[in-house]
Amino acid sequence: MRYGVKLKQTDEGYAIWCPYLPGCWSQGETEIEALENIKDAIESYLECMEELNSDGELHNS
């Protein structure tokens, strides 16, 4: 699956985040490095969400 990301140049390099995955962000000294780093961040984010969602029971409130 592919996710859109936003990239912003900063004084320290590039900040990058995925608006569809709250809290999923990264950075890099170059645009290419930032793009590689966000791929890892998205993968880790999705693995964590899968683990959290598989560990508990679903309750209606």
Side-chain angles (χ1 to χ4, degrees):
M1 184 175 278
R2 297 176 69 97
Y3 291 89
V5 296
K6 297 220 175 191
L7 182 71
K8 181 178 181 178
Q9 190 169 12
T10 68
D11 293 339
E12 299 160 353
Y14 289 86
I16 190 164
W17 64 98
C18 182
Y20 303 106
L21 303 174
C24 186
W25 63 273
S26 192
Q27 61 186 22
E29 290 184 17
T30 66
E31 186 175 337
I32 292 170
E33 182 181 23
L35 288 166
E36 288 300 318
N37 290 343
I38 196 66
K39 288 177 187 177
D40 291 338
I42 289 170
E43 184 177 312
S44 295
Y45 183 100
L46 294 175
E47 287 172 1
C48 183
M49 288 292 101
E50 184 176 329
E51 184 178 316
L52 289 171
N53 287 326
S54 67
D55 284 347
E57 294 180 24
L58 183 62
H59 295 276
N60 294 326
S61 53

